Amino acid sequence: MQITILGGGGFLGRKLAARLAKDGTLGGRPITGLTLFDLAAPKPLPAPFPLRCLGGDVADPAALAAAIPPGTGVVFHLAAVVSAAAEADYDLGMKVNIHGTLAVLQACRALGTKPRVVFTSSVASFGGGQEAVVPDDGRQVPTNSYGAQKAIGELLLQDASRKGFLDAVNIRLPTVMVRPGRPNKAASSFVSAIIREPLLGLSTDCPVPPEFAVWICSPRSTVEWFLHAATMDTAPLGLDRGINPPGRSATVAKLLEALEAVAGRTARDKVGFAFDKEVFDIVVGWPGSFEAKRARRLGFPEQEPLADLVRAFIEDDLEATKADRGL
Amino acid sequence: MQITILGGGGFLGRKLAARLAKDGTLGGRPITGLTLFDLAAPKPLPAPFPLRCLGGDVADPAALAAAIPPGTGVVFHLAAVVSAAAEADYDLGMKVNIHGTLAVLQACRALGTKPRVVFTSSVASFGGGQEAVVPDDGRQVPTNSYGAQKAIGELLLQDASRKGFLDAVNIRLPTVMVRPGRPNKAASSFVSAIIREPLLGLSTDCPVPPEFAVWICSPRSTVEWFLHAATMDTAPLGLDRGINPPGRSATVAKLLEALEAVAGRTARDKVGFAFDKEVFDIVVGWPGSFEAKRARRLGFPEQEPLADLVRAFIEDDLEATKADRGL
């Protein structure tokens, strides 16, 4: 089976690629090739199968045709301009998140072999705010351009699935934490920063109050969800290709408790609070919780407890993050 | 106030244009110019203000820039490839319904004056089928490409409203009946045909059974809704720019009763039943009814009774339809 990861140079793309390389198989079938595609060609990684690392624009049909060659069985479409960046630069968000997804649709359709497409939509495609517990048939009324663009991408791939051009599973990712690296342009960047920065020995300010609730998931769970979405029977989904996976609702206060439980009071005390209206105005519209019953029924696995999520970052990413940041 | 009607050569576009020409004003303000835009330049009509009739492709930015000149206060975006046509020709539907609406968005944004945009979305953007009574926060899970493309258009214009590029009201039109002219490529074409054809003295076959329920509205109500949407205060809409207007749920049997009440048994007997799977498979997914509470609260007027709807066709469109069809 040939696999392509669009956005293969990103945090989740690389974790997924490393997992595929470790397993060598997907759904019990040997992987015969992996293409990692991103704006800049991703760095190679050791793999037991041929690996291609391509750079290009996801909205460019020729680049995508190279990235999704005949014989591709699964496309992970993780390429996106994230929330605060899409809000700050509307045209860039439209180009990557809308025209990019249109190009992915056409590239997959051109294969004529109905590849599985695992698309990362987002909690940001929902409104409702802090008080919401979104049911599985909850309506997407986005409060930001990124969310609107993700909801549109879902509709495009869902209809293309109905037409038989491809076979999509649209996973509406919670806020993935703990992210390695540096704070980024995602409005939700702080959710990782309040754990990561203290573990690096650095101080950080949280832009929202302690009682603020976020719908989160771990990178480990996210990769499990990707693998499940890539191999599950899609017949039970029917027309509805959107999945609200079983994340976890956590307040900032609870996250800091977990940090303290794992890394002690000194780490906890590295986090201050400094209200940031620009960030708050984006994230305050996102729902604090989801029911996620359908995803559980469909076999998407649960989150680990919060303290394990902190430990997972220490095990998987702390050293590399220190090295990357020269700490 | 300058006004543009995209799809100004179509059935609803011409009814709207005639009404604007008759009134000479919109929301109490004098109309200073009207542009009718369609694939082929619409035929002129008598009007007390300057009228431009332009032909062009709605997905062509240059054509749209001409159709939506600086100073445009209201754009009615009715241009679309309809349901069965968008299902039969996916690429054409995508071009007009997606890329067309993207071009409308950019043309309106380029004005820098936040024009009101009245966009015709559709009942076809919902699934749920015959048994459904769609609540105002009902989720759009389209069962056809036309519906998916309309739901996407709504998301685009809704987010552009939030961004302050324009000020959209997205009206999800029921099946508009009675349409003049000939049967067309809309899967719902039969809903008008079972009234119109008998009134023209012609026989017709209904492709769905008598107990089949449709969510309908009259052309007169539709024009009233357009005018209301063009002039209403949009502040109470908040982020949610989608309107489920107060149509009426009617079975085929009830429609035929109304036909008989107005035009007698002879007219009623012109309608036979011949099941058409292709049409049925599209329309069976559309909901039979909506709650439409929010639209009523927002001042969108109610439908006339079914018999009045038949009479309205006789008054407004029967003679012209006869002439057009050489009857």
Side-chain angles (χ1 to χ4, degrees), chain A residues 174-245:
Chain A
T175 295
V176 182
M177 68 169 286
V178 180
R179 285 183 173 267
R182 293 168 193 278
N184 74 8
K185 292 266 188 180
S188 56
S189 178
F190 73 88
V191 182
S192 286
I194 61 173
I195 306 295
R196 182 190 59 234
E197 301 300 302
L199 291 174
L200 293 168
L202 302 173
S203 295
T204 189
D205 279 334
C206 181
V208 302
E211 64 274 17
F212 193 88
V214 279
W215 179 242
I216 59 157
C217 66
S218 72
R220 286 182 181 179
S221 292
T222 302
V223 170
E224 295 299 330
W225 293 341
F226 287 164
L227 298 181
H228 185 63
T231 55
M232 69 186 287
D233 177 12
T234 53
L237 294 177
L239 288 179
D240 181 1
R241 297 306 179 113
I243 298 288
N244 296 336

Coordinates of all heavy atoms in Angstrom, one line a residue, chain A residues 174-245:
Chain A
P174 N -9.5 17.9 18.4 CA -9.4 18.8 19.5 C -8.1 19.5 19.4 O -7.3 19.3 18.5 CB -9.5 17.8 20.7 CG -10.1 16.6 20.2 CD -9.6 16.5 18.8
T175 N -7.9 20.4 20.4 CA -6.6 21.0 20.5 C -5.5 20.0 20.9 O -5.7 19.4 22.0 CB -6.6 22.2 21.6 OG1 -7.5 23.2 21.1 CG2 -5.3 22.8 21.8
V176 N -4.6 19.7 20.0 CA -3.6 18.7 20.3 C -2.5 19.2 21.2 O -1.9 20.3 21.0 CB -2.9 18.2 19.0 CG1 -2.0 17.1 19.3 CG2 -4.0 17.7 18.0
M177 N -2.3 18.5 22.3 CA -1.2 18.9 23.3 C -0.6 17.7 23.9 O -1.2 16.7 24.0 CB -1.9 19.8 24.4 CG -2.8 19.0 25.3 SD -3.3 20.0 26.7 CE -1.8 19.9 27.7
V178 N 0.7 17.8 24.3 CA 1.6 18.9 24.3 C 2.3 19.0 23.0 O 3.0 18.0 22.6 CB 2.5 18.8 25.5 CG1 3.5 19.9 25.5 CG2 1.8 18.6 26.8
R179 N 2.3 20.1 22.3 CA 3.1 20.3 21.1 C 4.5 20.6 21.5 O 4.7 21.4 22.3 CB 2.5 21.4 20.3 CG 1.2 21.1 19.5 CD 0.8 22.3 18.7 NE -0.3 21.8 17.8 CZ -0.2 21.4 16.6 NH1 1.0 21.3 16.0 NH2 -1.2 21.0 15.9
P180 N 5.5 20.0 20.7 CA 6.9 20.4 20.9 C 7.2 21.7 20.2 O 6.3 22.4 19.7 CB 7.6 19.3 20.3 CG 6.7 18.8 19.2 CD 5.3 19.0 19.7
G181 N 8.4 22.1 20.1 CA 8.8 23.3 19.4 C 8.5 24.6 20.1 O 8.6 24.6 21.4
R182 N 8.2 25.6 19.4 CA 7.9 26.9 20.0 C 6.5 27.2 19.9 O 5.7 26.6 19.1 CB 8.7 28.0 19.1 CG 10.2 27.9 19.2 CD 10.9 28.7 18.2 NE 12.3 28.3 18.1 CZ 13.2 28.7 19.0 NH1 13.0 29.6 19.9 NH2 14.5 28.3 18.9
P183 N 6.0 28.3 20.6 CA 4.7 28.8 20.4 C 4.5 29.1 19.0 O 5.4 29.5 18.3 CB 4.7 30.1 21.2 CG 5.7 29.9 22.3 CD 6.8 29.0 21.7
N184 N 3.3 28.7 18.4 CA 3.1 29.0 17.0 C 1.8 29.9 16.8 O 1.3 30.4 17.7 CB 3.0 27.7 16.2 CG 1.7 26.9 16.4 OD1 0.8 27.4 17.1 ND2 1.6 25.7 15.9
K185 N 1.4 30.0 15.5 CA 0.3 30.9 15.2 C -1.1 30.4 15.5 O -2.1 31.1 15.2 CB 0.4 31.2 13.7 CG 1.6 32.0 13.3 CD 1.3 33.5 13.2 CE 2.5 34.3 12.6 NZ 2.2 35.7 12.6
A186 N -1.2 29.2 16.0 CA -2.5 28.7 16.4 C -2.9 29.5 17.6 O -2.2 29.7 18.5 CB -2.4 27.2 16.7
A187 N -4.2 29.8 17.6 CA -4.7 30.6 18.8 C -4.7 29.7 20.0 O -4.6 30.2 21.1 CB -6.2 31.0 18.5
S188 N -4.6 28.4 19.8 CA -4.6 27.5 20.9 C -3.2 27.1 21.3 O -3.0 26.2 22.2 CB -5.3 26.2 20.5 OG -4.7 25.7 19.3
S189 N -2.2 27.8 20.8 CA -0.8 27.6 21.1 C -0.5 27.5 22.6 O 0.3 26.7 23.1 CB 0.1 28.6 20.5 OG 1.4 28.4 20.8
F190 N -1.2 28.4 23.4 CA -1.0 28.5 24.8 C -1.3 27.1 25.6 O -0.7 26.9 26.6 CB -1.8 29.6 25.5 CG -3.3 29.3 25.6 CD1 -3.8 28.6 26.7 CD2 -4.2 29.6 24.5 CE1 -5.2 28.4 26.8 CE2 -5.5 29.4 24.6 CZ -6.0 28.7 25.7
V191 N -2.2 26.3 25.0 CA -2.6 25.1 25.7 C -1.4 24.2 25.8 O -1.2 23.5 26.9 CB -3.8 24.4 24.9 CG1 -4.2 23.2 25.7 CG2 -4.9 25.4 24.7
S192 N -0.5 24.1 24.8 CA 0.7 23.4 24.9 C 1.8 24.1 25.7 O 2.5 23.6 26.5 CB 1.3 23.0 23.6 OG 0.5 22.0 23.0
A193 N 1.8 25.4 25.5 CA 2.9 26.3 26.1 C 2.9 26.2 27.6 O 3.9 26.2 28.3 CB 2.8 27.7 25.6
I194 N 1.7 26.1 28.2 CA 1.6 26.2 29.7 C 2.2 24.9 30.3 O 2.5 24.8 31.5 CB 0.2 26.5 30.2 CG1 -0.8 25.4 29.8 CG2 -0.2 27.9 29.8 CD1 -2.2 25.5 30.4
I195 N 2.3 23.8 29.5 CA 3.0 22.6 30.0 C 4.4 22.5 29.5 O 5.3 22.3 30.3 CB 2.2 21.3 29.5 CG1 0.7 21.4 29.8 CG2 2.9 20.0 30.0 CD1 0.4 21.3 31.3
R196 N 4.6 22.8 28.2 CA 5.9 22.6 27.6 C 7.0 23.6 28.2 O 8.1 23.2 28.6 CB 5.8 22.8 26.1 CG 7.1 22.6 25.3 CD 7.0 23.1 23.9 NE 6.6 24.5 23.8 CZ 5.6 24.9 23.2 NH1 4.8 24.1 22.5 NH2 5.3 26.2 23.2
E197 N 6.6 24.9 28.2 CA 7.6 25.9 28.6 C 8.1 25.6 30.1 O 9.3 25.6 30.3 CB 7.0 27.3 28.5 CG 6.6 27.6 27.0 CD 7.7 27.6 26.0 OE1 8.7 28.3 26.1 OE2 7.5 26.8 25.0
P198 N 7.2 25.4 31.0 CA 7.8 25.0 32.4 C 8.7 23.8 32.4 O 9.7 23.8 33.1 CB 6.5 24.8 33.2 CG 5.4 25.6 32.5 CD 5.8 25.5 31.0
L199 N 8.3 22.8 31.6 CA 9.2 21.6 31.5 C 10.5 21.9 30.9 O 11.5 21.1 31.1 CB 8.5 20.5 30.8 CG 7.2 19.9 31.5 CD1 6.5 18.9 30.6 CD2 7.6 19.2 32.8
L200 N 10.6 23.0 30.1 CA 11.9 23.4 29.6 C 12.6 24.4 30.5 O 13.7 24.9 30.2 CB 11.7 24.1 28.2 CG 11.1 23.3 27.1 CD1 10.7 24.1 25.9 CD2 12.2 22.3 26.6
G201 N 11.9 24.6 31.7 CA 12.5 25.6 32.7 C 12.2 27.0 32.4 O 12.8 27.9 32.9
L202 N 11.3 27.3 31.4 CA 11.0 28.6 31.0 C 9.6 29.1 31.6 O 8.7 28.3 31.8 CB 10.9 28.7 29.5 CG 12.2 28.2 28.7 CD1 11.9 28.2 27.2 CD2 13.3 29.1 29.1
S203 N 9.5 30.4 31.8 CA 8.3 31.0 32.2 C 7.4 31.3 31.0 O 7.9 31.4 29.9 CB 8.5 32.3 32.9 OG 9.3 32.1 34.1
T204 N 6.1 31.2 31.2 CA 5.1 31.6 30.1 C 3.9 32.2 30.7 O 3.5 31.9 31.9 CB 4.8 30.3 29.3 OG1 4.0 30.7 28.2 CG2 3.9 29.3 30.1
D205 N 3.2 33.0 29.9 CA 1.9 33.6 30.4 C 0.8 32.9 29.7 O 0.8 32.8 28.4 CB 1.9 35.1 30.0 CG 2.7 35.9 31.1 OD1 2.8 35.4 32.2 OD2 3.2 37.0 30.7
C206 N -0.2 32.6 30.4 CA -1.5 32.0 29.9 C -2.4 33.2 29.5 O -2.7 34.0 30.4 CB -2.1 31.1 30.9 SG -3.6 30.3 30.2
P207 N -2.9 33.2 28.3 CA -3.7 34.4 27.8 C -5.2 34.3 28.2 O -6.0 35.2 27.9 CB -3.6 34.3 26.3 CG -3.4 32.9 26.0 CD -2.7 32.3 27.2
V208 N -5.6 33.2 28.8 CA -7.0 33.0 29.3 C -7.0 32.6 30.7 O -6.0 32.2 31.3 CB -7.7 31.9 28.4 CG1 -7.7 32.2 26.9 CG2 -7.1 30.5 28.7
P209 N -8.2 32.9 31.4 CA -8.2 32.6 32.9 C -8.2 31.1 33.2 O -8.5 30.3 32.3 CB -9.5 33.2 33.3 CG -10.3 33.5 32.1 CD -9.4 33.5 30.9
P210 N -7.9 30.8 34.5 CA -7.7 29.4 34.9 C -8.9 28.5 34.7 O -8.8 27.3 34.4 CB -7.4 29.4 36.4 CG -7.0 30.8 36.7 CD -7.6 31.7 35.6
E211 N -10.1 29.1 34.7 CA -11.4 28.3 34.6 C -11.7 28.0 33.2 O -12.7 27.4 32.9 CB -12.5 29.0 35.3 CG -12.9 30.3 34.8 CD -12.1 31.5 35.3 OE1 -11.0 31.3 35.9 OE2 -12.5 32.7 35.2
F212 N -10.9 28.5 32.2 CA -11.2 28.3 30.8 C -11.0 26.9 30.4 O -10.0 26.2 30.7 CB -10.2 29.2 30.0 CG -10.6 29.3 28.5 CD1 -11.4 30.3 28.1 CD2 -10.1 28.4 27.6 CE1 -11.8 30.4 26.8 CE2 -10.5 28.5 26.3 CZ -11.3 29.5 25.8
A213 N -12.1 26.3 29.8 CA -12.1 24.9 29.4 C -11.7 24.7 27.9 O -12.2 25.4 27.1 CB -13.5 24.3 29.7
V214 N -10.9 23.7 27.7 CA -10.5 23.4 26.3 C -10.8 21.9 26.1 O -10.7 21.1 27.0 CB -9.0 23.7 26.0 CG1 -8.9 25.2 25.7 CG2 -8.1 23.3 27.1
W215 N -11.1 21.6 24.8 CA -11.3 20.2 24.4 C -10.0 19.7 23.8 O -9.6 20.2 22.7 CB -12.5 20.2 23.4 CG -12.8 18.9 22.8 CD1 -12.8 18.5 21.5 CD2 -13.4 17.8 23.5 NE1 -13.3 17.2 21.3 CE2 -13.7 16.7 22.5 CE3 -13.8 17.5 24.8 CZ2 -14.2 15.5 22.8 CZ3 -14.3 16.3 25.1 CH2 -14.6 15.3 24.1
I216 N -9.3 18.8 24.5 CA -7.9 18.5 24.1 C -7.8 17.0 23.7 O -8.7 16.2 24.0 CB -7.0 18.8 25.3 CG1 -7.4 18.0 26.5 CG2 -6.9 20.3 25.6 CD1 -6.2 17.7 27.5
C217 N -6.6 16.7 23.1 CA -6.2 15.3 22.9 C -4.7 15.3 22.8 O -4.1 16.3 22.7 CB -6.8 14.8 21.6 SG -6.2 15.6 20.1
S218 N -4.2 14.1 23.0 CA -2.7 14.0 22.9 C -2.2 13.6 21.5 O -3.0 13.1 20.7 CB -2.3 12.8 23.9 OG -2.7 11.6 23.3
P219 N -1.0 13.9 21.2 CA -0.4 13.4 19.9 C -0.5 11.9 19.8 O -0.8 11.4 18.7 CB 1.0 13.9 20.0 CG 1.1 15.0 21.0 CD 0.0 14.7 22.0
R220 N -0.3 11.2 20.9 CA -0.4 9.7 20.8 C -1.8 9.3 20.3 O -1.9 8.4 19.4 CB 0.0 9.1 22.1 CG 1.5 9.1 22.4 CD 1.7 8.4 23.8 NE 3.2 8.5 24.1 CZ 3.7 7.9 25.2 NH1 2.9 7.3 26.1 NH2 5.0 8.0 25.5
S221 N -2.8 9.8 21.0 CA -4.2 9.5 20.6 C -4.5 9.9 19.2 O -5.2 9.2 18.4 CB -5.2 10.2 21.5 OG -5.1 9.7 22.8
T222 N -4.0 11.1 18.8 CA -4.2 11.6 17.4 C -3.7 10.6 16.4 O -4.4 10.3 15.4 CB -3.6 13.0 17.3 OG1 -4.1 13.8 18.3 CG2 -3.9 13.5 15.9
V223 N -2.5 10.1 16.6 CA -1.9 9.1 15.7 C -2.8 7.9 15.7 O -3.0 7.3 14.6 CB -0.4 8.9 16.0 CG1 0.1 7.7 15.2 CG2 0.4 10.1 15.7
E224 N -3.2 7.4 16.8 CA -4.1 6.2 16.9 C -5.4 6.5 16.0 O -5.9 5.6 15.3 CB -4.5 5.9 18.3 CG -3.3 5.4 19.2 CD -2.6 4.2 18.7 OE1 -3.3 3.3 18.0 OE2 -1.4 4.0 18.9
W225 N -5.9 7.7 16.2 CA -7.1 8.0 15.5 C -6.9 8.0 14.0 O -7.7 7.6 13.2 CB -7.7 9.4 15.9 CG -8.2 9.5 17.3 CD1 -8.6 8.4 18.1 CD2 -8.4 10.7 18.0 NE1 -9.0 8.9 19.3 CE2 -8.9 10.3 19.3 CE3 -8.2 12.0 17.8 CZ2 -9.2 11.2 20.3 CZ3 -8.5 12.9 18.8 CH2 -9.0 12.5 20.0
F226 N -5.7 8.6 13.6 CA -5.4 8.6 12.1 C -5.3 7.2 11.6 O -5.9 6.9 10.5 CB -4.0 9.3 11.9 CG -4.0 10.7 12.1 CD1 -2.8 11.4 12.3 CD2 -5.2 11.5 12.1 CE1 -2.8 12.8 12.4 CE2 -5.1 12.9 12.2 CZ -3.9 13.5 12.4
L227 N -4.7 6.3 12.3 CA -4.5 4.9 11.8 C -5.9 4.2 11.8 O -6.2 3.5 10.8 CB -3.6 4.1 12.8 CG -2.2 4.6 12.9 CD1 -1.4 3.7 13.8 CD2 -1.5 4.7 11.5
H228 N -6.7 4.5 12.8 CA -8.1 3.9 12.8 C -8.9 4.4 11.6 O -9.6 3.7 10.9 CB -8.8 4.2 14.1 CG -10.1 3.5 14.2 ND1 -10.3 2.1 14.2 CD2 -11.4 4.0 14.3 CE1 -11.6 1.8 14.3 NE2 -12.3 3.0 14.4
A229 N -8.8 5.7 11.4 CA -9.6 6.4 10.3 C -9.1 5.9 8.9 O -9.9 5.8 8.0 CB -9.4 7.9 10.4
A230 N -7.8 5.5 8.8 CA -7.3 5.1 7.6 C -7.7 3.6 7.2 O -7.6 3.2 6.1 CB -5.7 5.2 7.6
T231 N -8.1 2.9 8.3 CA -8.3 1.4 8.1 C -9.7 1.0 8.4 O -10.1 -0.2 8.1 CB -7.3 0.6 8.9 OG1 -7.5 1.0 10.3 CG2 -5.9 0.9 8.5
M232 N -10.5 1.8 9.0 CA -11.9 1.4 9.4 C -12.8 1.2 8.2 O -12.5 1.7 7.1 CB -12.5 2.5 10.3 CG -12.8 3.8 9.5 SD -13.4 5.2 10.6 CE -15.1 4.6 11.0
D233 N -13.8 0.4 8.4 CA -14.9 0.3 7.5 C -15.7 1.6 7.4 O -16.2 2.0 8.5 CB -15.8 -0.9 7.9 CG -16.9 -1.1 6.9 OD1 -16.9 -0.5 5.8 OD2 -17.9 -1.9 7.3
T234 N -15.8 2.2 6.3 CA -16.5 3.5 6.2 C -18.0 3.3 5.9 O -18.7 4.3 6.0 CB -15.9 4.4 5.2 OG1 -15.8 3.8 3.9 CG2 -14.5 4.9 5.6
A235 N -18.4 2.1 5.6 CA -19.9 1.9 5.3 C -20.8 2.4 6.4 O -21.8 3.1 6.2 CB -20.1 0.4 5.0
P236 N -20.5 2.1 7.7 CA -21.3 2.6 8.8 C -21.4 4.1 8.9 O -22.3 4.6 9.6 CB -20.7 2.0 10.1 CG -19.8 0.9 9.6 CD -19.4 1.3 8.3
L237 N -20.5 4.8 8.3 CA -20.6 6.3 8.3 C -21.7 6.8 7.5 O -22.2 7.9 7.7 CB -19.3 6.9 7.8 CG -18.0 6.7 8.7 CD1 -16.8 7.3 8.0 CD2 -18.2 7.2 10.1
G238 N -22.1 6.1 6.4 CA -23.1 6.6 5.5 C -22.7 7.9 4.9 O -21.5 8.1 4.6
L239 N -23.6 8.8 4.7 CA -23.3 10.1 4.1 C -22.4 11.0 5.1 O -21.7 11.9 4.6 CB -24.5 10.9 3.8 CG -25.3 10.4 2.6 CD1 -26.6 11.3 2.4 CD2 -24.5 10.4 1.3
D240 N -22.5 10.8 6.4 CA -21.9 11.7 7.4 C -20.5 11.3 7.6 O -20.2 10.4 8.4 CB -22.8 11.6 8.6 CG -22.3 12.6 9.7 OD1 -21.3 13.3 9.5 OD2 -22.9 12.6 10.8
R241 N -19.5 11.9 7.0 CA -18.1 11.6 7.1 C -17.4 12.3 8.3 O -16.2 12.2 8.4 CB -17.4 11.8 5.8 CG -18.0 11.0 4.6 CD -17.9 9.5 5.1 NE -18.4 8.6 4.0 CZ -17.7 7.7 3.4 NH1 -16.4 7.7 3.6 NH2 -18.2 6.9 2.5
G242 N -18.1 13.1 9.1 CA -17.5 13.9 10.1 C -17.5 13.1 11.4 O -18.4 12.5 11.9
I243 N -16.3 13.1 12.1 CA -16.1 12.4 13.3 C -15.7 13.4 14.4 O -14.7 14.1 14.2 CB -14.9 11.4 13.2 CG1 -15.3 10.3 12.1 CG2 -14.6 10.7 14.5 CD1 -16.3 9.3 12.6
N244 N -16.4 13.4 15.5 CA -16.0 14.2 16.7 C -15.3 13.1 17.6 O -16.0 12.4 18.3 CB -17.2 14.8 17.4 CG -17.9 15.8 16.6 OD1 -17.3 16.4 15.7 ND2 -19.2 16.1 16.9
P245 N -14.0 13.1 17.6 CA -13.3 12.0 18.3 C -13.3 12.2 19.8 O -13.6 13.3 20.3 CB -11.9 12.0 17.8 CG -11.7 13.5 17.4 CD -13.0 14.0 16.9

